[in-house]
Amino acid sequence: MNAELHHGLRIDGDRLLRRIEDLAAIGPIDGGGSCRLALTDEDRAGRDLVVTWMRDLGLDVTIDAIGNVIGMRAGRTDGPPTMTGSHIDTVRTGGRYDGNLGVLAGLEVIETLERNGVQTEHPVAVGFFTDEEGARFPPDMLGSLVYVGGMAVEEALDIEGIDGAIVGAELDRIGYRGTSPCPGPSPRAFVELHVEQGPVLEAEGVTIGAVTGVQGISWTELTITGQSNHAGTTPMELRHDPGYVAAAVAAHVRDLAVRMNADGPEGGDRQVGTVGRLELEPNLVNVVAASASMTVDLRNTDEVLLQEAEADLARFVAQTAAAEGVTVTERTLARFEPVTFDDRVVDTVADVARRLGHTVKHMPSGAGHDAQMLARVCPTGMVFVPSRDGVSHNPAEHTDPADLVAGADVLLQTMLSLDGLSLDGATLQRAGLDSEESDR
Ligand code: GLV
Ligand code: MN
Ligand code: MN
């Protein structure tokens, strides 16, 4: 059954799991996760460790102007590499697998080739991209966005973080402002292994997700300004209360998503909405707030529906602010349309996984990923493995070791298959992100 798989090669599961533990030990937090917010000292220590591993493997390591790090192994011919990678920055309450798995599995793929003396036709590369999470410096996927030319590096270097730090200054401080230019050279193909971060694979008892694309993302920051006053003496009808408006908006974000899903064409379940950050000033028990700052995260696999959600939110904010007599300023922190991956890569992932004896499901990604940026410049796809209880962005994030290893083996064989594939010509894409068939 595996006769056609290249060299019958398998990755070394123990080595992969050990590296995951070693990286997770940098910036450890209660509950078993990691905190390595982008461009902090912890991120630097994580970077240093992974770069050491890349150099130990003899890779040609380059660092670009936004701090993306790429390790390259030569092929029989020169030219663009078949590339994999992900990120090693985390949210403040990160798990051990989000991003890290994709980078360390990529390293493991290359070590497996190296130890088995396998030469590929094309170079093979593994990278980690700066600030994928966007939790400190919005937008998310910042490094890969700059890598593909979606944002000028000068603009990215000027971005201010939630703590007032500036991207360029932090890159200098941690020693990761490199000299390779942005945008960077396009790979010939890109494939990223990642934990699903959602409940679908586990619920259906499927081991491998062949990811068809990534849903659209809309992040907005609202700053609401009103009239701070005494909580005991100010009559309700005379208030201009940013705290009230923020709370009403937060409730509306949830309601609009629930309503859209109930009303959707197929009674769909696609719209999600989250208020993940909400701060009041001065944040005291007996003071009507002077201002509120909050974020809204809206996502949908359908661009038209995502725009409807944005319009609904904007209407509600305007009406509620006018009724309360507060002012609102809005800032877009991230806005990315849904992305559809290349059929040739998606089909290769599914085919390889089946031939390795795994169950496979075609599915869209709910989370954002560097692969959605790389899809702008080369044939791209992703491999998902299950997340226990669908939990992620939480130190309790867990994937069974057997599934981590299965995903890395699928990554290895997918990269070898892509190495032998002619990928010239137009990118082939499915009609949409909705194909969710399982293939057991
Ligand atoms: C980023 O990884 C996101 O999906 O929020
Ligand atoms: Mn991730
Ligand atoms: Mn994440």
Side-chain angles (χ1 to χ4, degrees):
M1 157 187 174
N2 297 337
E4 291 167 53
L5 289 172
H6 305 260
H7 312 284
L9 279 187
R10 297 291 181 275
I11 61 106
D12 181 331
D14 289 339
R15 194 168 54 207
L16 172 65
L17 299 176
R18 233 178 6 252
R19 284 206 176 113
I20 291 173
E21 295 312 302
D22 288 350
L23 184 52
I26 299 176
I29 56 174
D30 284 352
S34 307
C35 175
R36 291 192 306 276
L37 284 166
L39 311 184
T40 55
D41 289 348
E42 291 76 20
D43 185 22
R44 166 173 43 195
R47 286 164 171 266
D48 288 350
L49 180 61
V50 176
V51 167
T52 302
W53 284 330
M54 286 179 168
R55 295 220 158 101
D56 287 349
L57 269 177
L59 303 187
D60 179 16
V61 178
T62 57
I63 306 176
D64 72 18
I66 193 68
N68 298 318
V69 176
I70 295 173
M72 183 101 74
R73 178 176 188 261
R76 266 189 294 276
T77 54
D78 288 338
T82 310
M83 186 167 169
T84 187
S86 191
H87 61 98
I88 59 169
D89 71 311
T90 72
V91 295
R92 197 186 301 285
T93 53
R96 348 161 58 81
Y97 308 107
D98 177 358
N100 307 313
L101 171 63
V103 177
L104 300 180
L107 208 61
E108 183 54 40
V109 164
I110 294 183
E111 180 142 11
T112 302
L113 299 178
E114 193 65 28
R115 289 188 180 238
N116 289 275
V118 177
Q119 223 197 343
T120 51
E121 182 63 23
H122 307 277
V124 173
V126 57
F128 58 85
F129 295 97
T130 295
D131 186 41
E132 189 275 349
E133 293 292 4
R136 186 178 182 210
F137 300 103
D140 49 353
M141 286 85 68
L142 179 66
S144 47
L145 179 67
V146 172
Y147 188 84
V148 301
M151 182 189 284
V153 66
E154 297 77 17
E155 186 184 342
L157 291 170
D158 280 345
I159 290 173
E160 182 178 341
I162 54 172
D163 52 2
I166 304 294
V167 166
E170 286 295 85
L171 273 173
D172 286 335
R173 190 184 67 78
I174 69 166
Y176 274 89
R177 193 201 289 233
T179 52
S180 293
C182 292
S186 298
R188 57 184 292 281
F190 185 83
V191 58
E192 176 175 358
L193 170 63
H194 206 284
V195 290
E196 181 202 337
Q197 310 182 269
V200 176
L201 289 174
E202 182 185 59
E204 299 194 10
V206 174
T207 305
I208 297 293
V211 184
T212 53
V214 180
Q215 66 179 344
I217 300 176
S218 168
W219 285 0
T220 307
E221 181 184 67
L222 302 176
T223 306
I224 306 164
T225 309
Q227 172 68 59
S228 192
N229 212 330
H230 195 291
T233 61
T234 313
M236 298 312 286
E237 66 278 12
L238 294 184
R239 293 185 183 211
H240 308 287
D241 183 354
Y244 162 70
V245 174
V249 169
H252 185 77
V253 165
R254 188 180 179 95
D255 290 347
L256 86 82
V258 170
R259 178 172 34 77
M260 282 179 71
N261 295 334
D263 295 350
E266 313 131 44
D269 58 352
R270 294 268 186 270
Q271 182 64 48
V272 287
T274 307
V275 171
R277 179 163 72 77
L278 171 54
E279 287 149 17
L280 300 181
E281 260 303 306
N283 209 27
L284 294 170
V285 62
N286 54 355
V287 182
V288 175
S291 66
S293 169
M294 68 193 297
T295 55
V296 181
D297 174 321
L298 297 172
R299 306 195 196 196
N300 200 307
T301 51
D302 183 315
E303 173 62 21
V304 173
L305 293 176
L306 184 56
Q307 288 179 16
E308 276 178 27
E310 292 174 314
D312 182 315
L313 174 68
R315 268 193 309 274
F316 182 84
V317 169
Q319 281 164 6
T320 311
E324 183 69 5
V326 300
T327 59
V328 181
T329 56
E330 293 191 17
R331 190 162 70 102
T332 300
L333 300 181
R335 182 63 168 88
F336 301 117
E337 291 189 12
V339 170
T340 306
F341 287 146
D342 187 296
D343 264 358
R344 293 165 297 186
V345 183
V346 178
D347 291 347
T348 301
V349 168
D351 183 50
V352 157
R354 272 184 220 116
R355 286 200 281 140
L356 285 170
H358 300 303
T359 46
V360 180
K361 181 182 176 70
H362 285 83
M363 61 190 297
S365 171
H369 297 292
D370 295 307
Q372 79 192 79
M373 297 305 163
L374 273 294
R376 297 186 186 189
V377 298
C378 67
T380 295
M382 292 186 74
V383 183
F384 272 179
V385 286
S387 293
R388 185 174 66 198
D389 300 329
V391 169
S392 186
H393 285 183
N394 182 320
E397 179 185 83
H398 179 79
T399 296
D400 285 343
D403 292 340
L404 299 169
V405 173
D409 274 327
V410 171
L411 180 68
L412 167 68
Q413 292 294 338
T414 298
M415 292 187 74
L416 286 169
S417 290
L418 292 174
D419 182 58
L421 218 59
S422 163
L423 291 166
D424 297 338
T427 290
L428 301 176
Q429 294 187 332
R430 284 169 196 276
L433 296 183
D434 292 339
S435 77
E436 282 211 7
E437 345 62 82
S438 295
D439 173 354
R440 283 145 195 275

